[in-house]
Amino acid sequence: MRARHRALAVVAVLLVAVATAVVPSRTGLAAPRAAAAVTPLGVPFLPSPDPLQVRIDSLLAVSLTVEKDVTIRLSDGTEVRTNKYTFTKLRIRDHMAVTQRANGHTLTIDVPDEGQLGGYDSAGKAETTVMWGTIDNICVLLIACHVQALLDFFGQLIPLTSGATHFQGTIYAIRTTDDHAALDSTDNPVHLPGTITVTSP
């Protein structure tokens, strides 16, 4: 693996999610779009057609930008149009819960307190978190709740930094990287202290 990608860290959410994507069980959200240009995700697998349901009680998003109507390919060969959110840092201030139901199994990831995706490494270089999906609900601090459309609109124009609560998202993939890492780097851009459980009926 090349040096600049040595510190590539794929969130544990996705490592488990891809294992459950053997047989697609939801196709309603993902219709084939032959004419659309498909954006490569830059991850070593395709995301499941069964998206992750992500809830965060309180968060801080640093330097958020938004790209709307991005078409991505899923592991069952279908494509879906969604949004691409890019952060320098996504800090979980209080409780993140991730749930995915696919192929008769339920994946649950619970980060009860604080966590972080991205930020700055020990050399002061910015790390990057990219999230493909949609924000279903968010309350931006000191502004209002249910402002997803405003966030998406302004995020296309300028980088946004804001605290928020009551985040709910339907997420297909998350990738966090330290693009500037040296060969001897031990920086880890993913800090999600919590538990992962997989259950079946």
Side-chain angles (χ1 to χ4, degrees):
M1 186 175 294
R2 294 181 302 172
R4 71 184 299 270
H5 293 298
R6 178 183 177 276
L8 174 66
V10 179
V11 184
V13 171
L14 300 177
L15 295 179
V16 181
V18 72
T20 66
V22 178
V23 179
S25 60
R26 274 179 63 178
T27 57
L29 293 177
R33 298 176 182 271
V38 179
T39 302
L41 299 192
V43 293
F45 55 83
L46 297 175
S48 168
D50 300 280
L52 308 164
Q53 301 302 317
V54 180
R55 301 172 65 95
I56 305 174
D57 288 351
S58 179
L59 63 87
L60 174 68
V62 177
S63 296
L64 163 68
T65 59
V66 181
E67 185 178 348
K68 296 190 68 177
D69 296 326
V70 173
T71 301
I72 61 174
R73 183 171 288 118
L74 306 177
S75 61
D76 63 354
T78 61
E79 296 169 3
V80 64
R81 289 182 66 184
T82 189
N83 296 336
K84 177 182 176 182
Y85 299 93
T86 303
F87 311 82
T88 295
K89 176 170 70 175
L90 180 62
R91 177 185 168 197
I92 293 93
R93 288 173 160 170
D94 183 31
H95 194 213
M96 180 176 83
V98 179
T99 303
Q100 184 197 41
R101 293 178 176 86
N103 305 324
H105 296 82
T106 300
L107 162 72
T108 304
I109 297 176
D110 189 75
V111 180
D113 297 310
E114 295 186 352
Q116 185 168 302
L117 298 171
Y120 295 88
D121 62 20
S122 58
K125 301 290 187 179
E127 299 166 336
T128 304
T129 293
V130 183
M131 184 173 71
W132 290 267
T134 57
I135 295 175
D136 304 316
N137 183 73
I138 193 168
C139 298
V140 178
L141 299 184
L142 305 180
I143 300 179
C145 293
H146 313 297
V147 292
Q148 301 92 294
L150 283 175
L151 182 146
D152 288 347
F153 174 76
F154 286 108
Q156 294 178 91
L157 304 176
I158 57 173
L160 304 174
T161 296
S162 179
T165 61
H166 299 88
F167 173 96
Q168 296 179 34
T170 301
I171 308 302
Y172 287 93
I174 305 171
R175 183 190 69 180
T176 298
T177 58
D178 184 347
D179 296 319
H180 311 281
L183 279 174
D184 59 349
S185 173
T186 58
D187 292 323
N188 183 359
V190 178
H191 301 279
L192 294 177
T195 59
I196 301 175
T197 57
V198 178
T199 59
S200 58

